[in-house]
Amino acid sequence: MAKKIECLAMLLAGGQGSRLGILTKNIAKPAVPYGGKYRIIDFPLSNCINSGIETVGVLTQYQPLELNDYIGNGAAWDLDRIYGGVHILSPYQQIKGTQWYKGTANAIYQNINFIDRYNPEYVAVLSGDHIYKMDYAKMLKFHKEKEAACTIAMLEVPWEEASRFGLMFVNDDGAITEFEEKPKNPRSNKASMGVYIFTWKKLRQYLIDDEAKEGSGNDFGHDVIPAMHEAGERMFAYQFDGYWKDVGTIESLWEANLDLLNPKVDLDLSDNSWKIYSKTADAPPHYISNKAKVENSMISEGCEIEGDIDYSVLFSNVTVEEGATVRYSIVMPGTVVKKGAVVEYAIVAENAVIEGGAHVGESPETIANLEDWGIAVIGEKVTIGNGAKVAAKAMVDEDLKGDEQ
Amino acid sequence: MKASSVLGIIFSNTYDENISELTSVRTMGSVPFAGRYRLIDFILSDMVNCGISKVGISTKSNYQSLMDHLGSGKPWDLSRKREGITLLPPFSLIGKGNAGGMFSGRIDAIANMMNYISRGGKEYVIFADCNVVCNLDYGKIIDDHIESGADITIAYKRGVRPKLSNLMTFELEGDKIVKLETADTKDTAVNYSLNILVIRRVLLERLIDGAVSMGYTSFERDIIARNLDSLYIRGHKVEEYAMTIDSLQSYYDISMGLVNGSYKELFNRERTIYTKVRDDVPAVYGICSKAGNSLIADGCIIKGTVENSILFRGVYVAEGAVVKDSVIMQDTYISQGSKINCAILDKEVVVKPNRELSGAPTYPLYIGKNITV
């Protein structure tokens, strides 16, 4: 009989993140690079280990290769354990047939056996695609104090954005009285962050019931949570005040990266008491030459900088040659920006080459109709030829020839 | 390449006394270098990169920081069920009369760990010190050694002899060493040893046994020089980047050399240098920061000016502070308006506002660990 653990985490990491377009062509959304050296999944994984949760199941489905490789045995997050640790859980064949994970709840349902092995009192269900630092231990304490069946982390969002979220109505003592999923005219601005703690015995039963129910979408937000609510279970909202961002779109990914450069944004990654761990490429310190001009930017190890960098985040081993300019942009590992090229308001994926004189992205100030403006995206291993132009909002995932003179 | 049949032995304490400032609280092997490394990382990575998977590290004193750095050996992929790294602290054989188990000299040190070397059963042993900064293909040195049929191979460089006691300089006929000196010389171009040495294990056992029973103490004079005629002792010329640290001045000069171009030779993309990770945020440059010709590690925050310098992880340079021609180690804090010139600031130094610290290129100022200026 296995040793009993108090709280286990299930991390939903199977999503495609289709609104990230070519950035998630070959990788799942949680594996998308963020913040100069991280990937999105580093945040929930580091939160787990920092909160004392040492057993984590990672549910993968869409393009899992890079994600599996990245997580490895979990050593980067101190999650390589004799007992517990990190486990990759992919859909598998069963006697009654083979199924993909049909929905978030079904993904947990298919892994009831995994959870039962550890026989936990509580299960945290986390989403693998948000940027935030959160102490789940505090939320678990709240959950226990309230003797809740389910606790949902909640964040007050600006009213104008509220209609994008699952909203909650909450009593003075934190009890949830009503739910509303992405309403047109929101009456509440208390949004669910997609972070749940369940009392496992309860959740286990609701998952089995939900699976048996015909026509269920097997989704937490749409099916399981409302079913629990209807049955009159004790459900509470746990208020979170820090930085939280869903990086589901190109714009929000771009913004979330640049947030790191904004001293007013409440996301401090250099806090030693709550480190965000990641698997890093062993690269030497970055070199900055006399010709370089760098302001208000984040630059990772292994970079060689000879050009001008302003308000940008550069991942490891990026080269920016003399006379090249990178501003208001995110440049992922191994990319080379050659002499005289300009990259602005853009996200450039890994190992791309921006040849001399090429111009990627446009400043919103130069565009007459702001509707036409957007972040330009260059896919991985793409070469943008000499003098070629990439317009705002464009997504380029094939080599672009320049005007070879 | 037969790296799987080679045992690596690293001496972490040799020549500590040559840079006593930096080694007062640590070993030569754990001296910080090049922004995010310790000196031992270079030797250890070289060994790992050529496929050596068993490495013994000889320690003598002050080795807490070294143990902390090495941990289980995981960053070098040397945390293995079979093989991996082993720390070899002084080992006292009762009745042998070596008081306290502290060895003196290299013969004694090797005799001390002979059990470990023999038990491993590897066919060859490669020795290295930590004060040589290099990124060499050890595989080639080992292959050449085996192919040549030499008994012992010693890697050497041509140039001015570093000021290290007992360092071998030699004359060669072809690749055979025919004449050997250990004294200092005024010559500007000599063949000096990098103290990287390859030998067949069985021969090493015989030579060390013999030396111990004769009461010999000097590895260089009593084992190498004495056997120049009877053994084929071969020199392996190193043309690549390999710098010997023999003083605080040379530590400073070699560091400054890195920012002036040689970092490209040291950090070869085919042979990664591994080190313990610290999970720092990438370096952040503030508004109005100015930096040029510098190597800057993760975790640094730069709001002032940095020129011709090396900044280790977690260094803070406040608004209006100016750092020039300096080496600033981990987590050092330089407050507003301070000026640092030609200095080496050890770990966790705090420079209060508007201080001026200045050395000269030929005499860098050194500020010790944890000091507040």
Side-chain angles (χ1 to χ4, degrees), chain A residues 35-38 80 269-270 275 277-278 280 282-290 294-302 304, chain B residues 34 36-37 74 259 263-264 267 269 272 274-275 277-286 288-289 292-296 298:
Chain A
K37 71 188 300 191
Y38 308 96
D80 52 331
L269 300 185
S270 58
K275 267 200 177 172
Y277 300 97
S278 67
T280 44
D282 276 281
H286 73 259
Y287 175 73
I288 173 160
S289 92
N290 272 334
V294 179
E295 272 191 85
N296 208 15
S297 292
M298 194 173 236
I299 297 185
S300 303
E301 289 175 331
E304 284 185 40
Chain B
R36 67 190 289 263
Y37 303 94
K74 193 151 207 147
V259 291
Y263 80 95
K264 285 193 175 164
F267 299 115
R269 294 226 163 151
T272 306
Y274 300 96
T275 190
V277 290
R278 218 177 77 135
D279 290 285
D280 276 312
V281 199
V284 177
Y285 290 81
C288 303
S289 66
N293 201 36
S294 296
L295 285 166
I296 293 166
D298 275 3

Short mmCIF file of all heavy atoms in Angstrom, two decimals, chain A residues 35-38 80 269-270 275 277-278 280 282-290 294-302 304, chain B residues 34 36-37 74 259 263-264 267 269 272 274-275 277-286 288-289 292-296 298:
data_model
loop_
_atom_site.label_atom_id
_atom_site.label_comp_id
_atom_site.label_asym_id
_atom_site.label_seq_id
_atom_site.Cartn_x
_atom_site.Cartn_y
_atom_site.Cartn_z
N GLY A 35 9.38 34.91 -21.28
CA GLY A 35 10.21 35.61 -20.29
C GLY A 35 11.71 35.37 -20.37
O GLY A 35 12.39 35.37 -19.36
N GLY A 36 12.25 35.15 -21.56
CA GLY A 36 13.69 35.09 -21.72
C GLY A 36 14.30 33.73 -21.47
O GLY A 36 15.32 33.39 -22.04
N LYS A 37 13.73 32.94 -20.57
CA LYS A 37 14.33 31.62 -20.35
C LYS A 37 13.31 30.58 -19.92
O LYS A 37 13.65 29.43 -19.72
CB LYS A 37 15.46 31.71 -19.34
CG LYS A 37 15.00 31.96 -17.93
CD LYS A 37 16.12 32.25 -16.98
CE LYS A 37 17.12 31.11 -16.89
NZ LYS A 37 18.04 31.34 -15.77
N TYR A 38 12.07 30.98 -19.77
CA TYR A 38 11.08 30.05 -19.24
C TYR A 38 10.19 29.51 -20.35
O TYR A 38 10.24 29.96 -21.48
CB TYR A 38 10.20 30.78 -18.21
CG TYR A 38 11.01 31.47 -17.16
CD1 TYR A 38 11.32 32.83 -17.28
CD2 TYR A 38 11.50 30.77 -16.07
CE1 TYR A 38 12.11 33.46 -16.32
CE2 TYR A 38 12.27 31.40 -15.11
CZ TYR A 38 12.58 32.74 -15.24
OH TYR A 38 13.35 33.36 -14.31
N ASP A 80 11.98 15.23 -9.30
CA ASP A 80 12.38 13.84 -9.54
C ASP A 80 12.47 13.19 -8.16
O ASP A 80 13.41 13.39 -7.43
CB ASP A 80 13.72 13.76 -10.29
CG ASP A 80 14.82 14.58 -9.63
OD1 ASP A 80 14.50 15.59 -8.97
OD2 ASP A 80 16.00 14.20 -9.75
N LEU A 269 10.21 38.11 -10.89
CA LEU A 269 10.77 36.76 -11.04
C LEU A 269 12.09 36.62 -10.30
O LEU A 269 12.66 35.54 -10.24
CB LEU A 269 10.96 36.43 -12.52
CG LEU A 269 9.69 36.47 -13.36
CD1 LEU A 269 9.97 36.02 -14.78
CD2 LEU A 269 8.61 35.58 -12.75
N SER A 270 12.61 37.71 -9.76
CA SER A 270 13.91 37.60 -9.09
C SER A 270 13.75 37.38 -7.59
O SER A 270 14.72 37.38 -6.86
CB SER A 270 14.74 38.86 -9.35
OG SER A 270 14.04 40.00 -8.92
N LYS A 275 11.08 31.19 -6.40
CA LYS A 275 11.77 31.11 -7.69
C LYS A 275 10.93 30.39 -8.72
O LYS A 275 10.19 29.48 -8.39
CB LYS A 275 13.08 30.35 -7.50
CG LYS A 275 14.23 31.27 -7.23
CD LYS A 275 15.56 30.63 -7.52
CE LYS A 275 16.61 31.68 -7.28
NZ LYS A 275 17.95 31.21 -7.34
N TYR A 277 11.49 27.98 -11.63
CA TYR A 277 12.55 27.11 -12.12
C TYR A 277 12.32 26.78 -13.58
O TYR A 277 11.19 26.78 -14.06
CB TYR A 277 12.59 25.82 -11.30
CG TYR A 277 12.84 26.09 -9.84
CD1 TYR A 277 11.80 26.17 -8.93
CD2 TYR A 277 14.14 26.32 -9.39
CE1 TYR A 277 12.03 26.45 -7.60
CE2 TYR A 277 14.38 26.60 -8.05
CZ TYR A 277 13.33 26.66 -7.16
OH TYR A 277 13.57 26.95 -5.85
N SER A 278 13.39 26.51 -14.27
CA SER A 278 13.25 26.12 -15.66
C SER A 278 14.44 25.28 -16.05
O SER A 278 15.44 25.24 -15.35
CB SER A 278 13.17 27.35 -16.56
OG SER A 278 14.41 28.02 -16.54
N THR A 280 17.42 25.03 -18.29
CA THR A 280 18.11 26.07 -19.05
C THR A 280 19.21 25.49 -19.92
O THR A 280 19.81 24.47 -19.58
CB THR A 280 18.73 27.12 -18.11
OG1 THR A 280 19.35 26.43 -17.03
CG2 THR A 280 17.68 28.04 -17.57
N ASP A 282 22.84 25.50 -21.11
CA ASP A 282 24.07 25.96 -20.51
C ASP A 282 24.78 26.88 -21.48
O ASP A 282 25.41 26.43 -22.41
CB ASP A 282 24.99 24.77 -20.19
CG ASP A 282 24.63 24.17 -18.86
OD1 ASP A 282 25.03 24.75 -17.85
OD2 ASP A 282 23.92 23.15 -18.84
N ALA A 283 24.64 28.17 -21.27
CA ALA A 283 25.29 29.12 -22.17
C ALA A 283 26.11 30.09 -21.34
O ALA A 283 25.77 30.36 -20.19
CB ALA A 283 24.23 29.86 -22.98
N PRO A 284 27.18 30.62 -21.91
CA PRO A 284 28.01 31.58 -21.18
C PRO A 284 27.24 32.88 -20.94
O PRO A 284 26.18 33.09 -21.54
CB PRO A 284 29.21 31.80 -22.09
CG PRO A 284 28.75 31.39 -23.44
CD PRO A 284 27.72 30.34 -23.23
N PRO A 285 27.76 33.78 -20.10
CA PRO A 285 27.13 35.08 -19.93
C PRO A 285 26.95 35.75 -21.29
O PRO A 285 27.69 35.44 -22.23
CB PRO A 285 28.14 35.86 -19.10
CG PRO A 285 28.94 34.83 -18.39
CD PRO A 285 28.99 33.65 -19.30
N HIS A 286 25.99 36.63 -21.42
CA HIS A 286 25.83 37.28 -22.73
C HIS A 286 26.91 38.33 -22.93
O HIS A 286 27.41 38.91 -21.97
CB HIS A 286 24.42 37.83 -22.92
CG HIS A 286 24.11 39.06 -22.13
ND1 HIS A 286 23.40 39.03 -20.97
CD2 HIS A 286 24.39 40.37 -22.37
CE1 HIS A 286 23.27 40.25 -20.50
NE2 HIS A 286 23.86 41.09 -21.33
N TYR A 287 27.26 38.54 -24.19
CA TYR A 287 28.29 39.52 -24.50
C TYR A 287 27.65 40.74 -25.13
O TYR A 287 26.83 40.64 -26.04
CB TYR A 287 29.32 38.94 -25.47
CG TYR A 287 30.34 39.97 -25.89
CD1 TYR A 287 31.33 40.40 -25.00
CD2 TYR A 287 30.29 40.57 -27.16
CE1 TYR A 287 32.24 41.37 -25.36
CE2 TYR A 287 31.20 41.54 -27.52
CZ TYR A 287 32.18 41.94 -26.62
OH TYR A 287 33.07 42.91 -26.96
N ILE A 288 28.01 41.89 -24.61
CA ILE A 288 27.47 43.12 -25.17
C ILE A 288 28.65 43.96 -25.65
O ILE A 288 29.59 44.19 -24.90
CB ILE A 288 26.58 43.83 -24.14
CG1 ILE A 288 26.13 45.18 -24.63
CG2 ILE A 288 27.23 43.98 -22.78
CD1 ILE A 288 24.91 45.68 -23.91
N SER A 289 28.63 44.34 -26.91
CA SER A 289 29.81 45.01 -27.47
C SER A 289 29.71 46.52 -27.29
O SER A 289 28.69 47.05 -26.87
CB SER A 289 29.97 44.67 -28.94
OG SER A 289 29.31 45.65 -29.72
N ASN A 290 30.79 47.19 -27.63
CA ASN A 290 30.83 48.65 -27.53
C ASN A 290 29.85 49.33 -28.46
O ASN A 290 29.44 50.45 -28.23
CB ASN A 290 32.24 49.14 -27.88
CG ASN A 290 33.09 49.16 -26.63
OD1 ASN A 290 32.56 49.29 -25.53
ND2 ASN A 290 34.38 49.02 -26.80
N VAL A 294 21.66 49.14 -25.36
CA VAL A 294 20.56 48.35 -24.80
C VAL A 294 19.88 49.15 -23.71
O VAL A 294 20.52 49.66 -22.80
CB VAL A 294 21.09 47.03 -24.19
CG1 VAL A 294 19.93 46.24 -23.59
CG2 VAL A 294 21.79 46.21 -25.24
N GLU A 295 18.58 49.28 -23.83
CA GLU A 295 17.83 49.97 -22.78
C GLU A 295 16.55 49.22 -22.49
O GLU A 295 15.91 48.67 -23.40
CB GLU A 295 17.49 51.40 -23.23
CG GLU A 295 18.58 52.40 -22.88
CD GLU A 295 18.10 53.82 -23.09
OE1 GLU A 295 17.48 54.36 -22.18
OE2 GLU A 295 18.34 54.36 -24.19
N ASN A 296 16.20 49.21 -21.22
CA ASN A 296 14.92 48.70 -20.79
C ASN A 296 14.58 47.34 -21.42
O ASN A 296 13.52 47.16 -21.99
CB ASN A 296 13.84 49.72 -21.16
CG ASN A 296 12.68 49.63 -20.20
OD1 ASN A 296 12.81 49.02 -19.14
ND2 ASN A 296 11.56 50.19 -20.57
N SER A 297 15.50 46.40 -21.29
CA SER A 297 15.30 45.11 -21.94
C SER A 297 15.79 43.99 -21.05
O SER A 297 16.48 44.23 -20.06
CB SER A 297 16.07 45.05 -23.26
OG SER A 297 15.50 45.93 -24.18
N MET A 298 15.42 42.77 -21.44
CA MET A 298 15.83 41.60 -20.72
C MET A 298 16.65 40.75 -21.68
O MET A 298 16.20 40.46 -22.79
CB MET A 298 14.57 40.86 -20.29
CG MET A 298 14.78 39.80 -19.27
SD MET A 298 13.17 39.21 -18.77
CE MET A 298 13.30 39.48 -17.04
N ILE A 299 17.86 40.38 -21.26
CA ILE A 299 18.75 39.65 -22.17
C ILE A 299 19.30 38.42 -21.47
O ILE A 299 19.80 38.50 -20.36
CB ILE A 299 19.87 40.57 -22.67
CG1 ILE A 299 19.23 41.70 -23.46
CG2 ILE A 299 20.89 39.80 -23.50
CD1 ILE A 299 20.17 42.63 -24.11
N SER A 300 19.21 37.27 -22.15
CA SER A 300 19.58 36.01 -21.53
C SER A 300 21.00 35.61 -21.87
O SER A 300 21.63 36.16 -22.78
CB SER A 300 18.65 34.89 -21.98
OG SER A 300 17.35 35.23 -21.68
N GLU A 301 21.44 34.56 -21.18
CA GLU A 301 22.80 34.08 -21.38
C GLU A 301 22.99 33.52 -22.79
O GLU A 301 22.06 33.03 -23.40
CB GLU A 301 23.12 33.05 -20.29
CG GLU A 301 23.25 33.77 -18.96
CD GLU A 301 23.45 32.88 -17.75
OE1 GLU A 301 22.99 31.74 -17.74
OE2 GLU A 301 24.06 33.35 -16.79
N GLY A 302 24.20 33.66 -23.28
CA GLY A 302 24.52 33.15 -24.59
C GLY A 302 24.26 34.13 -25.73
O GLY A 302 24.62 33.87 -26.87
N GLU A 304 24.70 37.45 -28.11
CA GLU A 304 25.77 38.36 -28.51
C GLU A 304 25.12 39.59 -29.11
O GLU A 304 24.42 39.50 -30.12
CB GLU A 304 26.68 37.69 -29.55
CG GLU A 304 27.60 36.69 -28.92
CD GLU A 304 28.59 36.10 -29.91
OE1 GLU A 304 29.11 36.86 -30.77
OE2 GLU A 304 28.82 34.89 -29.83
N ALA B 34 34.74 33.94 -15.19
CA ALA B 34 33.98 34.16 -16.44
C ALA B 34 32.47 34.31 -16.24
O ALA B 34 31.68 33.84 -17.03
CB ALA B 34 34.26 33.06 -17.46
N ARG B 36 29.94 33.13 -14.66
CA ARG B 36 29.01 32.20 -14.03
C ARG B 36 29.62 30.84 -13.71
O ARG B 36 28.94 29.93 -13.31
CB ARG B 36 27.75 32.01 -14.89
CG ARG B 36 27.96 31.32 -16.21
CD ARG B 36 26.72 31.41 -17.08
NE ARG B 36 25.62 30.61 -16.63
CZ ARG B 36 25.34 29.39 -17.10
NH1 ARG B 36 26.09 28.82 -17.99
NH2 ARG B 36 24.28 28.74 -16.65
N TYR B 37 30.93 30.74 -13.88
CA TYR B 37 31.56 29.44 -13.69
C TYR B 37 32.48 29.44 -12.47
O TYR B 37 32.80 30.47 -11.90
CB TYR B 37 32.36 29.07 -14.94
CG TYR B 37 31.51 29.07 -16.18
CD1 TYR B 37 31.42 30.20 -16.98
CD2 TYR B 37 30.75 27.96 -16.52
CE1 TYR B 37 30.59 30.22 -18.10
CE2 TYR B 37 29.93 27.97 -17.63
CZ TYR B 37 29.85 29.10 -18.42
OH TYR B 37 29.04 29.11 -19.51
N LYS B 74 25.35 16.33 -10.87
CA LYS B 74 24.31 16.32 -11.88
C LYS B 74 24.51 17.33 -13.02
O LYS B 74 24.31 16.98 -14.19
CB LYS B 74 22.97 16.59 -11.21
CG LYS B 74 21.81 16.29 -12.10
CD LYS B 74 20.61 15.88 -11.30
CE LYS B 74 19.76 14.99 -12.15
NZ LYS B 74 19.06 13.99 -11.43
N VAL B 259 36.76 39.57 -22.27
CA VAL B 259 35.89 40.57 -22.86
C VAL B 259 36.52 41.19 -24.09
O VAL B 259 35.83 41.75 -24.94
CB VAL B 259 35.47 41.70 -21.86
CG1 VAL B 259 34.54 41.15 -20.81
CG2 VAL B 259 36.65 42.39 -21.26
N TYR B 263 36.69 35.35 -25.27
CA TYR B 263 35.55 34.54 -24.81
C TYR B 263 35.05 33.64 -25.93
O TYR B 263 34.53 32.56 -25.70
CB TYR B 263 34.42 35.43 -24.27
CG TYR B 263 33.53 36.05 -25.31
CD1 TYR B 263 32.34 35.44 -25.67
CD2 TYR B 263 33.89 37.23 -25.95
CE1 TYR B 263 31.51 35.99 -26.63
CE2 TYR B 263 33.08 37.79 -26.91
CZ TYR B 263 31.89 37.17 -27.25
OH TYR B 263 31.10 37.71 -28.22
N LYS B 264 35.25 34.10 -27.16
CA LYS B 264 34.80 33.28 -28.30
C LYS B 264 35.60 31.99 -28.43
O LYS B 264 35.10 30.99 -28.90
CB LYS B 264 34.91 34.08 -29.60
CG LYS B 264 33.80 35.10 -29.70
CD LYS B 264 33.67 35.68 -31.09
CE LYS B 264 32.47 36.60 -31.10
NZ LYS B 264 32.41 37.50 -32.24
N PHE B 267 34.43 29.79 -25.17
CA PHE B 267 33.08 29.24 -25.24
C PHE B 267 32.78 28.76 -26.65
O PHE B 267 32.20 29.44 -27.47
CB PHE B 267 32.04 30.27 -24.77
CG PHE B 267 32.26 30.67 -23.35
CD1 PHE B 267 32.61 31.97 -23.02
CD2 PHE B 267 32.15 29.73 -22.35
CE1 PHE B 267 32.83 32.33 -21.70
CE2 PHE B 267 32.37 30.08 -21.03
CZ PHE B 267 32.71 31.38 -20.71
N ARG B 269 30.94 26.49 -29.21
CA ARG B 269 29.57 25.95 -29.18
C ARG B 269 29.50 24.43 -29.27
O ARG B 269 28.49 23.83 -28.93
CB ARG B 269 28.74 26.58 -30.30
CG ARG B 269 28.55 28.07 -30.06
CD ARG B 269 27.14 28.57 -30.24
NE ARG B 269 27.04 29.88 -29.59
CZ ARG B 269 26.22 30.85 -29.95
NH1 ARG B 269 25.38 30.68 -30.92
NH2 ARG B 269 26.22 31.99 -29.31
N THR B 272 30.20 22.49 -24.75
CA THR B 272 29.57 23.32 -23.74
C THR B 272 30.31 23.22 -22.41
O THR B 272 30.75 22.15 -22.03
CB THR B 272 28.12 22.85 -23.53
OG1 THR B 272 27.47 22.83 -24.79
CG2 THR B 272 27.36 23.75 -22.59
N TYR B 274 29.70 23.26 -18.61
CA TYR B 274 28.56 23.09 -17.70
C TYR B 274 28.88 23.69 -16.33
O TYR B 274 30.02 23.73 -15.91
CB TYR B 274 28.24 21.61 -17.53
CG TYR B 274 27.88 20.95 -18.83
CD1 TYR B 274 28.83 20.25 -19.57
CD2 TYR B 274 26.59 21.05 -19.35
CE1 TYR B 274 28.51 19.66 -20.79
CE2 TYR B 274 26.26 20.46 -20.56
CZ TYR B 274 27.22 19.77 -21.27
OH TYR B 274 26.90 19.19 -22.47
N THR B 275 27.85 24.11 -15.65
CA THR B 275 28.03 24.59 -14.29
C THR B 275 26.74 24.40 -13.52
O THR B 275 25.71 24.08 -14.09
CB THR B 275 28.48 26.07 -14.28
OG1 THR B 275 28.86 26.43 -12.95
CG2 THR B 275 27.36 27.01 -14.73
N VAL B 277 23.37 25.26 -11.96
CA VAL B 277 22.41 26.30 -12.35
C VAL B 277 21.85 27.00 -11.11
O VAL B 277 21.82 26.44 -10.03
CB VAL B 277 21.23 25.75 -13.18
CG1 VAL B 277 21.68 25.34 -14.54
CG2 VAL B 277 20.52 24.62 -12.46
N ARG B 278 21.43 28.23 -11.31
CA ARG B 278 20.94 29.01 -10.18
C ARG B 278 19.53 29.51 -10.41
O ARG B 278 18.96 30.18 -9.57
CB ARG B 278 21.89 30.17 -9.94
CG ARG B 278 22.11 30.46 -8.46
CD ARG B 278 23.10 31.56 -8.29
NE ARG B 278 22.53 32.84 -8.55
CZ ARG B 278 22.71 33.90 -7.79
NH1 ARG B 278 23.45 33.82 -6.71
NH2 ARG B 278 22.17 35.06 -8.10
N ASP B 279 18.97 29.25 -11.58
CA ASP B 279 17.61 29.69 -11.89
C ASP B 279 17.40 31.18 -11.65
O ASP B 279 16.49 31.59 -10.94
CB ASP B 279 16.58 28.87 -11.09
CG ASP B 279 16.50 27.45 -11.59
OD1 ASP B 279 15.92 27.23 -12.65
OD2 ASP B 279 17.08 26.56 -10.94
N ASP B 280 18.28 31.98 -12.23
CA ASP B 280 18.11 33.42 -12.17
C ASP B 280 17.28 33.90 -13.34
O ASP B 280 17.22 33.25 -14.38
CB ASP B 280 19.48 34.11 -12.26
CG ASP B 280 20.14 34.17 -10.90
OD1 ASP B 280 19.47 34.58 -9.96
OD2 ASP B 280 21.33 33.83 -10.81
N VAL B 281 16.70 35.06 -13.18
CA VAL B 281 15.99 35.72 -14.29
C VAL B 281 17.05 36.22 -15.27
O VAL B 281 18.15 36.55 -14.86
CB VAL B 281 15.24 36.96 -13.77
CG1 VAL B 281 14.18 37.39 -14.72
CG2 VAL B 281 14.69 36.71 -12.40
N PRO B 282 16.74 36.32 -16.55
CA PRO B 282 17.70 36.95 -17.47
C PRO B 282 18.07 38.36 -16.99
O PRO B 282 17.32 38.97 -16.23
CB PRO B 282 16.92 37.02 -18.78
CG PRO B 282 15.94 35.91 -18.70
CD PRO B 282 15.56 35.80 -17.25
N ALA B 283 19.20 38.84 -17.45
CA ALA B 283 19.66 40.17 -17.03
C ALA B 283 18.67 41.23 -17.49
O ALA B 283 18.11 41.14 -18.58
CB ALA B 283 21.03 40.44 -17.62
N VAL B 284 18.47 42.22 -16.66
CA VAL B 284 17.54 43.31 -17.00
C VAL B 284 18.31 44.61 -17.11
O VAL B 284 19.08 44.97 -16.21
CB VAL B 284 16.43 43.43 -15.94
CG1 VAL B 284 15.52 44.60 -16.27
CG2 VAL B 284 15.63 42.14 -15.84
N TYR B 285 18.11 45.30 -18.22
CA TYR B 285 18.70 46.63 -18.41
C TYR B 285 17.62 47.67 -18.18
O TYR B 285 16.53 47.56 -18.72
CB TYR B 285 19.21 46.79 -19.84
CG TYR B 285 20.43 45.96 -20.15
CD1 TYR B 285 20.32 44.61 -20.46
CD2 TYR B 285 21.70 46.53 -20.13
CE1 TYR B 285 21.43 43.85 -20.75
CE2 TYR B 285 22.83 45.77 -20.43
CZ TYR B 285 22.69 44.43 -20.74
OH TYR B 285 23.80 43.68 -21.02
N GLY B 286 17.94 48.67 -17.39
CA GLY B 286 16.96 49.71 -17.13
C GLY B 286 16.99 50.80 -18.17
O GLY B 286 17.78 50.75 -19.13
N CYS B 288 18.06 54.23 -19.59
CA CYS B 288 19.30 55.00 -19.44
C CYS B 288 20.50 54.17 -18.99
O CYS B 288 21.50 54.71 -18.56
CB CYS B 288 19.16 56.17 -18.46
SG CYS B 288 17.86 57.28 -18.92
N SER B 289 20.40 52.84 -19.04
CA SER B 289 21.58 52.05 -18.72
C SER B 289 22.53 52.14 -19.91
O SER B 289 22.11 52.36 -21.04
CB SER B 289 21.18 50.59 -18.49
OG SER B 289 20.72 50.04 -19.70
N GLY B 292 28.86 48.31 -22.46
CA GLY B 292 29.65 48.03 -23.64
C GLY B 292 30.79 47.08 -23.33
O GLY B 292 31.33 47.09 -22.21
N ASN B 293 31.13 46.25 -24.30
CA ASN B 293 32.25 45.33 -24.20
C ASN B 293 32.30 44.59 -22.87
O ASN B 293 33.30 44.61 -22.17
CB ASN B 293 33.55 46.10 -24.42
CG ASN B 293 34.66 45.17 -24.85
OD1 ASN B 293 34.42 44.21 -25.58
ND2 ASN B 293 35.85 45.40 -24.36
N SER B 294 31.23 43.95 -22.54
CA SER B 294 31.19 43.27 -21.25
C SER B 294 30.51 41.91 -21.38
O SER B 294 29.76 41.67 -22.32
CB SER B 294 30.41 44.10 -20.23
OG SER B 294 31.10 45.31 -19.99
N LEU B 295 30.80 41.06 -20.42
CA LEU B 295 30.10 39.78 -20.30
C LEU B 295 29.20 39.87 -19.08
O LEU B 295 29.67 40.18 -17.99
CB LEU B 295 31.10 38.63 -20.12
CG LEU B 295 31.86 38.21 -21.37
CD1 LEU B 295 33.03 37.32 -20.98
CD2 LEU B 295 30.96 37.47 -22.35
N ILE B 296 27.92 39.60 -19.30
CA ILE B 296 26.96 39.83 -18.22
C ILE B 296 26.10 38.59 -18.04
O ILE B 296 25.49 38.09 -18.98
CB ILE B 296 26.12 41.08 -18.55
CG1 ILE B 296 27.05 42.29 -18.50
CG2 ILE B 296 24.96 41.24 -17.57
CD1 ILE B 296 26.52 43.55 -19.08
N ASP B 298 23.11 36.06 -16.08
CA ASP B 298 21.70 36.17 -15.70
C ASP B 298 21.58 36.72 -14.29
O ASP B 298 22.48 36.60 -13.47
CB ASP B 298 21.04 34.79 -15.75
CG ASP B 298 20.55 34.46 -17.15
OD1 ASP B 298 20.79 35.26 -18.07
OD2 ASP B 298 19.94 33.39 -17.33
#
